[in-house]
Amino acid sequence: MSDEKVRGAPFTLGSFLLRLLFALVLVFITFNPTQYSYVHWMLASKEAHTLGPEQAVAGVALVAGWLIGVTATQRALGTLGLVVLIAFMATLVWWLVDAGWLNATSMVTFEWVTLACLAVLLAVGMSWSFIWRRMTGQYEVDEVNH
């Protein structure tokens, strides 16, 4: 068997962009400021007393997506990595506000930026093992206790 088949598909910019797309869809379907999100749908259905199995199915699917993203991110980055990446994104947003490229007074803008940062955090976390291997040549593996 070739070495490439053992390692899987190569990690490319496209691979990262697919993970980013997954994270963006997951985050923005769960909640966004447009009122078209799972959270808004649930609240409207609860208020109208029309909660049903479709909300449950969608909710379970979202929970599964979040478990995949959050678990992969936590395992890949660890607590320190999460703190550093969050600090990096927060200072980047601060810089964009200071440069006048983002409106710091708009709550809607702040919501969109925060949600986009969350999606980037998940995408980097889901890609980190591949990025780490590219930068260092080392594989990261989960420790399994037998």
Side-chain angles (χ1 to χ4, degrees):
M1 186 184 296
S2 78
D3 199 30
E4 185 63 32
K5 287 184 181 177
V6 172
R7 291 186 183 160
F11 183 74
T12 63
L13 177 61
S15 303
F16 176 76
L17 292 177
L18 281 173
R19 287 171 175 83
L20 180 58
L21 178 63
F22 169 78
L24 286 166
V25 168
L26 180 65
V27 169
F28 290 126
I29 283 178
T30 302
F31 176 80
N32 66 68
T34 68
Q35 307 296 314
Y36 295 102
S37 71
Y38 179 76
V39 169
H40 293 101
W41 182 39
M42 283 292 294
L43 292 173
S45 296
K46 182 180 176 195
E47 190 174 301
H49 303 290
T50 59
L51 283 174
E54 58 274 8
Q55 285 91 357
V57 169
V60 170
L62 284 174
V63 167
W66 279 100
L67 281 173
I68 291 167
V70 170
T71 301
T73 299
Q74 175 60 40
R75 285 185 180 173
L77 296 176
T79 303
L80 181 59
L82 283 169
V83 169
V84 170
L85 187 54
I86 290 168
F88 174 78
M89 288 191 296
T91 55
L92 181 62
V93 169
W94 178 22
W95 180 31
L96 294 173
V97 168
D98 192 56
W101 295 341
L102 284 176
N103 181 359
T105 61
S106 169
M107 188 60 172
V108 172
T109 299
F110 180 74
E111 287 176 0
W112 281 110
V113 169
T114 301
L115 294 168
C117 286
L118 178 58
V120 169
L121 177 76
L122 290 173
V124 169
M126 289 186 288
S127 302
W128 187 249
S129 292
F130 298 101
I131 296 167
W132 178 263
R133 186 175 71 220
R134 280 278 173 101
M135 292 187 325
T136 67
Q138 299 174 348
Y139 283 91
E140 289 185 281
V141 294
D142 290 332
E143 293 182 30
V144 178
N145 296 327
H146 292 282

